[in-house]
Amino acid sequence: MEDAIAEQLTSRQRAVWDAGDWPGFAPRIQEVADLTVESIDVGEGESYLDVATGSGNAAEAAARRGARVTGLDLVPKLVDAARARFESAGLEGEFVVGDAERLPFDDDSFDKVSSIFGVMFAPRQEAAAAELVRVARPGAVIGVAAWTPTGAVGEMFKRLARHMPPPPEEFVPAVMWGDEDHVRGLFAGTGAELAFEKRMAKFDFDSAEQWMDFTEQNLGPVVVAKAILEPQGKWDAAQADLVELQEETNEAEDGSLRSQGEYLLTIARA
């Protein structure tokens, strides 16, 4: 991918995740962060990095296990939110603004590294994977959670994309981080040993309509899509497509919404 296109996509991602209210959405996936931190066995006194930390879900989970926490995010207001969260909880951690493709840390800096639905959105995926390994010490463990292309959340992104202007030809969908073969290719040449596990994140709402209302106010990609499509008279069709997906995948039988989003947990040992 040419640098100019990649930089444009990175700027676009910053704007997307700056939109909406990620701290309001983040509690919905706290369990994924908790389980990922547990899976990579973050321990007392270990140096730990959370890439694309958002408002600090995984960072807090690691801090409560006694790790020395560093969190990085592309969006300044999310870094501020993570700092405020730690201050309110009486926890210690360092949070910095930075790019997953160019981590501002020395080689071999961390015992454990994670990214929960974060690094997957970096446009230069191979570069981001290489950076995760570069900053990890020999023997360190890296955990990456990413939505799968075929799961409900991956399908949501796919349906939303149908209504949006097409991306550059070089663009690789973020949900490819949820495909095992693709991830093996991303880490090829890094020397990391990989293991995979597919898991489910659970979502509960009063109805598909409540999910839609919550999502279009809080989840950046949907907030931005609505802002682009609504003035063109195209949002109603996109909204109906997304609600239909929730109804198709709903596991509840009482009129409420209970759905599961499949994600891939990649464990890489440096």
Side-chain angles (χ1 to χ4, degrees):
M1 182 180 296
E2 295 183 8
D3 288 347
I5 294 173
E7 292 299 331
Q8 183 181 25
L9 290 172
T10 297
S11 296
R12 188 179 302 173
Q13 288 297 338
R14 184 184 292 108
V16 163
W17 296 106
D18 188 58
D21 179 15
W22 179 253
F25 187 91
R28 300 279 179 173
I29 56 167
Q30 181 65 54
E31 183 180 30
V32 176
D34 294 342
L35 291 174
T36 300
V37 168
E38 179 181 345
S39 293
I40 63 174
D41 195 25
V42 176
E44 181 82 29
E46 288 189 313
S47 55
Y48 163 82
L49 172 66
D50 189 37
V51 179
T53 193
S55 52
N57 277 5
E60 179 172 347
R64 294 195 181 280
R65 294 170 68 96
R68 294 179 284 112
V69 168
T70 301
L72 171 141
D73 202 275
L74 189 64
V75 182
K77 81 171 187 181
L78 295 184
V79 170
D80 290 341
R83 286 176 181 150
R85 175 177 183 167
F86 265 55
E87 183 177 351
S88 177
L91 297 171
E92 292 186 3
E94 180 183 359
F95 293 92
V96 298
V97 176
D99 187 345
E101 297 175 358
R102 293 181 289 269
L103 296 175
F105 308 110
D106 294 336
D107 296 358
D108 308 334
S109 291
F110 299 97
D111 300 308
K112 301 288 169 62
V113 181
S114 74
S115 187
I116 316 299
F117 309 130
V119 73
M120 63 183 288
F121 291 100
R124 285 174 284 213
Q125 296 183 1
E126 288 186 4
E131 282 291 273
L132 295 177
V133 177
R134 180 185 68 78
V135 301
R137 291 177 178 141
V141 183
I142 302 161
V144 179
W147 304 115
T148 65
T150 55
V153 178
E155 180 63 23
M156 181 196 74
F157 284 120
K158 193 183 303 182
R159 292 199 183 192
L160 193 61
R162 293 175 189 165
H163 300 270
M164 296 290 287
E169 289 184 9
E170 299 90 337
F171 175 76
V172 179
V175 292
M176 291 307 295
W177 269 92
D179 179 271
E180 291 184 22
D181 289 339
H182 182 75
V183 175
R184 286 191 185 94
L186 295 181
F187 282 95
T190 66
E193 298 179 1
L194 304 181
F196 302 97
E197 181 182 350
K198 286 185 177 178
R199 296 179 171 180
M200 291 291 187
K202 299 176 182 178
F203 299 98
D204 293 295
F205 290 88
D206 291 340
S207 65
E209 289 74 20
Q210 190 215 14
W211 170 86
M212 189 71 251
D213 183 63
F214 176 84
T215 303
E216 67 183 23
Q217 293 183 53
N218 292 278
L219 186 60
V222 179
V223 173
V224 169
K226 181 179 180 180
I228 292 172
L229 297 173
E230 194 168 43
Q232 303 175 33
K234 298 179 180 180
W235 176 243
D236 286 350
Q239 186 185 60
D241 210 0
L242 297 180
V243 170
E244 181 181 57
L245 172 64
Q246 296 307 310
E247 292 172 340
E248 290 172 357
T249 58
N250 189 9
E251 299 175 355
E253 298 179 355
D254 59 359
S256 65
L257 174 66
R258 184 172 66 248
S259 64
Q260 299 190 72
E262 184 183 62
Y263 67 95
L264 180 70
L265 177 62
T266 298
I267 301 293
R269 297 184 182 275

